[in-house]
Amino acid sequence: MTALTLSTAGAATLRADALVVGVAKGAKGPVVAPGAEAVDKAFDGKLATVLETLGASGAEGEVTKLPAPTGLKVPVVIAVGLGSVPEKDAAFDAEALRRAAGSASRALAGSKKAGFALPVASVEDAEAVAEGALLGAYAFTAYQGGEDKLASKDKKNGNGPKLPLAEVALLGTKPRDKAFKAAAERAVAVVEEINRARDLINTPPNDLYPESFAAVATAAGKEHGIKVQVFDEKALVKGGFGGLLGVGQGSTHGPRLVKLAYTHPKAEKTLALVGKGITYDSGGISLKPAGHNETMKCDMSGAAAVFATVVAAARLGLQVNVTGWLALAENMPSGNATRPGDVLRMYSGKTVEVLNTDAEGRLVLADALTRASEEKPDAIVDVATLTGAMVLALGHRTFGIMANDDAFRTSIHEIAEEVGEASWPMPLPADLRKGMDSPTADIANMGERMGGGLVAGLFLKEFVGEGIAWAHLDIAGPAFHEGAPYGYTPKGGTGSAVRTLVKLAERTATGDLG
């Protein structure tokens, strides 16, 4: 991963491949942002004029490269747009800094070192810039011949995939200040785990299946002092996990339930996280139509987010117990696959009539939610790429939040907005529950088509233990990005919800959930 340093050098004296400065969108043209004073001076105070001449406006995500003038130790200056100039005495929004840093990092792919002289008015600003720069400097190259080959290819002919920026030097901070050091360390730990989640999501399904995912989790547990328990097929049969077994029985790769337990000796609260881990979703017998299968390796993004969060909590030493449950299965059609009309007996003892085998995520989550509830945590949050209906409702960049407690839902929404993850609170209308009534079983896995994302939430609610605060994050939209990269968001797996969950764990540790 890209290295992060808090540099003691000034913008004029830093030796690097490039220097990143901010430019904002003013009423009369681009405005040079704080942090770039030395660079502006090197341009004889005309940096804004030069940028405007080149067509720059300061709009968010805009990147303009300039040859550095005499007086700077770098060959290139990169001006990155921050959006509109803040109101008087206001600082730049943390998410604007995060996205700008990410855009700059992506533009610097192939470089060894770059200085970031963006506006840093506080420790929080420094952390936002660090996060954005590190998240933007991501590339998934595991299947492209190896780093040595990539570096050689890029060096020889200047095309093909480039390695990410190797080092981010953060300027304008206080390198010896404990708060800035802690912010930098937190940014590195969280982003490394987000990138771990991204790697898992991007790994092709012939290499990532329930057993191999469980092996990755087991190895990480040993490295970070996390207790890992893997329920294999025999254990699932013995325990009566009918949802996991029903979804996974059509595949040659059997299902797994993985429990990761991070504990702190002084913890007073326990947070349980449950992740949907469908390592490949063909739809099963209810086969997905052509054009809908190609990205279904991403259907384990919820489990990846949960896994990454538990490891991040351990690395940060949070004073809270965090238990992760990875509900892993591969949903495939075969002669042994669950059929529409079959009835599954879930771990809770409830029976479910399967009307559509492509509504499988709620089945594996139901078993995991029931099992997680048995340990009576203070709260449970499940994360899943659960419904296309949520994408229709909120688009590709926003996840939905449902809960059995309005205050808990509000807290998670506020946390998500704070860390820069777009989300929206969604209801659980009681009238939609009737649509899942079954003449054969206790409940069906499908209900009304309209409001399908809410129906799925209502189904999951049935399997949450009595008296436990629970929230459901449907990340079907933002979990996998198929378009061109933007800001710090790459093409492919994004690591959606990790920042929200880590911050939730931190707030749970301090008792500051509002």
Side-chain angles (χ1 to χ4, degrees), residues 2-336:
T2 301
L4 174 69
T5 57
L6 301 181
S7 179
T8 56
T13 58
L14 179 76
R15 294 184 182 276
D17 296 318
L19 184 63
V20 177
V21 298
V23 56
K25 189 174 183 179
K28 297 181 180 180
V31 176
V32 177
E37 292 83 0
V39 178
D40 191 30
K41 183 178 179 181
F43 277 92
D44 296 324
K46 297 179 180 179
L47 178 56
T49 302
V50 172
L51 289 169
E52 187 172 24
T53 301
L54 293 173
S57 67
E60 185 178 302
E62 184 181 74
V63 175
T64 307
K65 293 185 179 181
L66 303 165
T70 303
L72 299 180
K73 302 295 185 181
V74 297
V76 177
V77 171
I78 292 185
V80 61
L82 292 164
S84 298
V85 175
E87 295 182 8
K88 187 177 180 181
D89 298 327
F92 282 92
D93 178 76
E95 180 62 6
L97 294 174
R98 201 177 283 114
R99 289 178 180 173
S103 295
S105 276
R106 288 191 296 102
L108 286 161
S111 301
K112 291 183 178 180
K113 180 179 179 180
F116 282 69
L118 294 173
V120 176
S122 65
V123 172
E124 291 74 21
D125 290 346
E127 187 171 346
V129 172
E131 281 185 350
L134 295 175
L135 286 169
Y138 170 81
F140 184 66
T141 60
Y143 292 81
Q144 295 177 322
E147 292 190 357
D148 291 342
K149 184 176 178 180
L150 280 175
S152 174
K153 180 179 181 181
D154 181 56
K155 185 176 180 180
K156 287 181 179 180
N157 55 32
N159 56 34
K162 297 179 180 179
L163 291 175
L165 171 64
E167 182 182 347
V168 169
L170 200 58
L171 280 61
T173 63
K174 300 175 182 178
R176 295 180 180 84
D177 185 281
K178 289 183 179 179
F180 280 95
K181 285 183 178 179
E185 290 171 0
R186 182 188 184 280
V188 169
V190 173
V191 173
E192 283 186 351
E193 295 315 315
I194 291 173
N195 286 344
R196 185 201 296 267
R198 289 171 168 181
D199 284 349
L200 285 167
I201 297 164
N202 291 328
T203 299
N206 57 315
D207 281 344
L208 189 75
Y209 41 89
E211 185 178 4
S212 62
F213 195 153
V216 171
T218 300
K222 290 179 180 177
E223 180 182 356
H224 297 288
I226 299 167
K227 186 177 180 181
V228 180
Q229 182 180 4
V230 178
F231 298 78
D232 60 13
E233 288 168 279
K234 289 183 179 179
L236 293 175
V237 170
K238 184 177 180 180
F241 291 86
L244 276 156
L245 291 165
V247 173
Q249 70 188 43
S251 174
T252 56
H253 298 297
R256 297 287 188 275
L257 177 63
V258 179
K259 176 187 176 183
L260 302 103
Y262 160 69
T263 57
H264 191 284
K266 295 182 179 180
E268 296 181 357
K269 298 284 186 179
T270 296
L271 176 66
L273 306 174
V274 177
K276 174 187 173 183
I278 303 300
T279 56
Y280 183 76
D281 182 19
S282 69
I285 296 296
S286 304
L287 194 66
K288 291 179 183 291
H292 289 74
N293 283 288
E294 290 77 8
T295 61
M296 282 300 101
K297 65 181 181 181
C298 80
D299 213 19
M300 38 58 67
S301 296
V306 166
F307 172 42
T309 301
V310 177
V311 177
R315 291 181 60 175
L316 296 172
L318 301 185
Q319 196 169 310
V320 59
N321 297 329
V322 183
T323 303
W325 298 89
L326 314 183
L328 309 176
E330 187 176 64
N331 188 24
M332 296 292 285
S334 74
N336 196 44

Side-chain angles (χ1 to χ4, degrees), residues 82 88 194 338 374 421 459:
L82 292 164
K88 187 177 180 181
I194 291 173
T338 293
E374 286 183 342
E421 294 198 295
F459 180 91

